[in-house]
Amino acid sequence: MTIRSSPSPTAAETIPGKQGIPSVVGGAPDGEWDFAGQDTQYATHGIHTYVAAMIPALARKLIDAYAPDGGTVLDPFCGGGAVLVETIRSGRQAIGRDINPLAVLVSQAKTTHIEAEEIRRSGAEVLAQAGEYAGPPLSFAKSDFVEFWFKDYMLAPLTALRVGVDQIQDAALRKLFQALFSATVRSVSLTHRNEVRLRRMTPEQQETFNPDVFGVFNKYIALAEERIPDLPPGSRAMIESGDTRRLNLPDAVADTIVCSPPYGDERNGVNYTQFSKNMLYWLGYSRKEMQGAKGSTLGWGKENRNVPPSRSLHHAIDRLSDNPASAREAVAFYADYYAALREMARVTGQRIIIVIGNRVLNQQVLDNGQITVELMDAIGVQLEHCHFRKLPTKRLPKMREAGAAIDQEAILVFRK
Ligand SMILES: C[S@@+](CC[C@H](N)C(=O)[O-])C[C@H]1O[C@@H](n2cnc3c(N)ncnc32)[C@H](O)[C@@H]1O
C-alpha cells in the first residue's frame, strides 16, 4: 500500500487557508481513505452501536500502515471501540480510555475473547431466570424521562433481563451480557436509528413497532456467540474509564495513538450523554454518575481559560468576538483539547494519528486540522503525513459555499 506523502508544516507549498493563514493541511480527498459504503458491522463491531464511531476499515488501514507489528495502540477517546477491536484483531495490544461508562463497557465487551460454549450457557441461564421473574418493572425518576422512550409492555421483560444479567458471576461474561442488554435497550427504544440525537418515533411509526424484547436479546446472544470467540484468544485490551487530559498511564506506554476526538459540540452536534442515557439508566447508572462523566467532557468547564498556542485558533476567536458566549465555548474546548494533546504526546512513543473534521460555531468554521497541527507544533510534535477523506453525508451545504471543507475529515499523522 502506498501512503501519499503530504506536506510537512514547514513545506513551502502551503495552501492559503481562510483569512490568509497558510494551511498546512489543505488538500483534497483522493478516495483512498473514504471507505464509502463499507460494512461497519463485521466481527464484534456489530455487537453494539456507538455514535460518531470510526469506520473499522479506516482504523485497520491506519493501524496496519503506521503501528509496529505486535506493538501497543492507544485510543484515548475510544467510544464504541472500533480502533481497539481492529487493534486486537491485528494481533497488537490495545489500551482504551473514555469518560463515558457506556463506551468503556462496550469496548471491553467487544475486545474480550470468550468461548462460544460459555456464552451459550450464560445466555440460556439469563433467559431462563428472566422468564421466571415475577417482580415489578424497574421504575425511574419522572425527571429522567426513561419510560418516554419505551412502550409499557417492554418494561417488564427489560427488567427481567437486567435481573438475569446481574446474576452472572464471571466479570467478563457479565460485561458482555450487559453490553448485549444495552444493545437490546437501544434496539427496542422508540428512537430513530442512525441519527446522532434521540428523536422519538411518530405515533404512526410506533403503531407498527412492537419488537419482542426477549427475541431481540436472543438475536444479540447469537451474534456474540458467533463473533466473540473469533477474537484472538489471550488478546489483551486494557480499557478503563479515564479523562484524556490526565491519563493514568506511564510515559511512552503506547507506540501509536489512533483516535477521533470529540469536537466540543455536545450542545448542537453529537451528544454522547444523550445517546447513552437510556442504556445507562437501564444498566443501573444514576443521573449523578452520568453528569459526573459529562463534567469531564472536553470543553465542559468554561471559566477563565487561556487560548492555547495556535495562530489559526487566535484568528478564529477574534472572528467570534461579537459573540462572547461562542468565543468562551471555543476557548474552553481548545484549552482542554490542548491539555489532552499534551498528555497524548507524553504517553506515546512513536506516532499520534488524529482523525478530525472541522467545526462550525456561530456561522464560523473552525479548521480543526490546522489548529491541531499548530497545537502539536507548540508541543514539539511534527506532522508526518496528512490524508483526507470524504464524509458519507453532505452536511451544511451553506458552509461549503463559504469555502469551508466541512464534508471532509483530515487524517493527521504525527511523528514524535
Ligand atoms: C468521536 S467519539 C470517539 C468514537 C470512537 N472513535 C469510536 O469509534 O466509537 C469521542 C469520544 O470522546 C469521549 N470523550 C470526551 N471527552 C473526553 C475526555 N476528557 N477524556 C476521554 N474521553 C472523552 C466521548 O465520550 C466520546 O466517546
Side-chain angles (χ1 to χ4, degrees):
M1 176 186 26
T2 52
I3 299 290
R4 179 169 65 91
S5 179
S6 54
S8 76
T10 50
E13 64 203 286
T14 52
I15 297 156
K18 295 161 285 297
Q19 315 303 315
I21 299 172
S23 170
V24 292
V25 296
D30 59 11
E32 199 192 335
W33 297 87
D34 289 359
F35 302 103
Q38 284 250 348
D39 179 13
T40 56
Q41 301 300 305
Y42 63 89
T44 55
H45 298 291
I47 280 176
H48 197 296
T49 183
Y50 197 76
V51 67
M54 193 183 287
I55 293 187
L58 169 60
R60 183 53 174 266
K61 183 163 169 158
L62 290 170
I63 292 165
D64 286 346
Y66 293 112
D69 282 346
T72 300
V73 175
L74 162 66
D75 184 347
F77 302 104
C78 69
V83 169
L84 305 175
V85 168
E86 287 307 310
T87 299
I88 290 294
R89 294 182 74 237
S90 76
R92 295 169 175 88
Q93 319 289 315
I95 305 178
R97 293 289 184 273
D98 202 293
I99 49 158
N100 181 345
L102 184 72
V104 173
L105 172 74
V106 166
S107 295
Q108 287 172 333
K110 286 181 181 175
T111 51
T112 306
H113 170 95
I114 301 175
E115 296 295 340
E117 180 47 36
E118 287 187 70
I119 300 173
R120 197 171 308 127
R121 191 160 19 88
S122 284
E125 277 167 21
V126 170
L127 281 166
Q129 267 157 354
E132 283 167 15
Y133 180 75
L138 270 175
S139 65
F140 303 91
K142 278 253 168 312
S143 52
D144 293 339
F145 286 103
V146 179
E147 283 97 341
F148 177 77
W149 295 100
F150 299 88
K151 286 191 170 181
D152 285 348
Y153 85 85
M154 299 169 176
L155 303 179
L158 283 174
T159 303
L161 288 176
R162 159 76 200 283
V163 169
V165 169
D166 282 355
Q167 313 284 320
I168 301 174
Q169 296 299 310
D170 178 81
L173 266 172
R174 190 172 55 252
K175 279 181 182 168
L176 172 63
F177 277 84
Q178 283 173 327
L180 303 180
F181 171 63
S182 171
T184 305
V185 167
R186 166 87 183 171
S187 234
V188 303
S189 68
L190 301 174
T191 188
H192 286 265
R193 318 287 155 220
N194 305 321
E195 292 191 13
V196 291
R197 300 179 82 87
L198 293 182
R199 188 165 67 86
R200 201 165 184 246
M201 293 175 181
T202 62
E204 295 74 46
Q205 288 166 328
Q206 286 185 37
E207 221 162 275
T208 54
F209 183 72
N210 299 298
D212 162 22
V213 176
F214 284 2
V216 172
F217 185 67
N218 223 342
K219 196 189 75 190
Y220 281 109
I221 297 176
L223 198 67
E225 216 177 289
E226 176 197 311
R227 300 188 179 182
I228 293 278
D230 271 355
L231 290 168
S235 54
R236 289 239 309 149
M238 290 154 283
I239 302 163
E240 282 175 23
S241 165
D243 181 341
T244 302
R245 293 168 301 174
R246 292 176 286 274
L247 287 168
N248 57 343
L249 290 168
D251 295 356
V253 66
D255 307 294
T256 317
I257 282 183
V258 178
C259 71
S260 51
Y263 295 4
D265 59 351
E266 288 243 333
R267 210 153 30 96
N268 301 312
V270 182
N271 188 323
Y272 302 99
T273 314
Q274 188 189 86
F275 167 78
S276 315
K277 84 166 189 107
N278 287 329
M279 292 170 272
L280 286 173
Y281 277 130
W282 272 103
L283 285 164
Y285 286 83
S286 66
R287 173 194 276 242
K288 203 164 155 222
E289 286 167 305
M290 285 182 227
Q291 278 172 342
K294 190 171 184 172
S296 310
T297 301
L298 298 191
W300 199 250
K302 306 225 174 347
E303 303 79 25
N304 304 325
R305 317 300 297 275
N306 295 324
V307 184
S310 150
R311 209 152 62 96
S312 299
L313 179 59
H314 277 267
H315 281 266
I317 303 292
D318 284 348
R319 296 201 306 275
L320 287 169
S321 58
D322 56 349
N323 189 325
S326 293
R328 229 179 4 257
E329 188 178 326
V331 174
F333 171 74
Y334 289 102
D336 279 349
Y337 182 50
Y338 184 48
L341 292 177
R342 283 202 307 260
E343 270 296 79
M344 286 157 62
R346 179 183 70 75
V347 300
T348 314
Q350 294 183 10
R351 287 195 177 88
I352 299 167
I353 303 172
I354 298 175
V355 180
I356 193 160
N358 290 341
R359 175 173 178 201
V360 180
L361 185 62
N362 197 30
Q363 304 287 307
Q364 297 290 336
V365 177
L366 295 156
D367 185 342
N368 276 333
Q370 178 69 24
I371 292 169
T372 303
V373 171
E374 292 171 12
L375 294 178
M376 288 297 258
D377 188 49
I379 296 168
V381 181
Q382 305 304 317
L383 189 68
E384 180 184 28
H385 292 292
C386 170
H387 313 283
F388 290 91
R389 59 181 299 265
K390 253 200 176 336
L391 292 169
T393 44
K394 299 251 183 300
R395 294 186 297 168
L396 303 171
K398 260 206 268 160
M399 284 295 157
R400 254 183 294 128
E401 281 162 28
I406 49 164
D407 53 0
Q408 67 181 47
E409 276 179 340
I411 301 168
L412 307 171
V413 182
F414 296 93
R415 174 87 208 202
K416 270 190 86 181

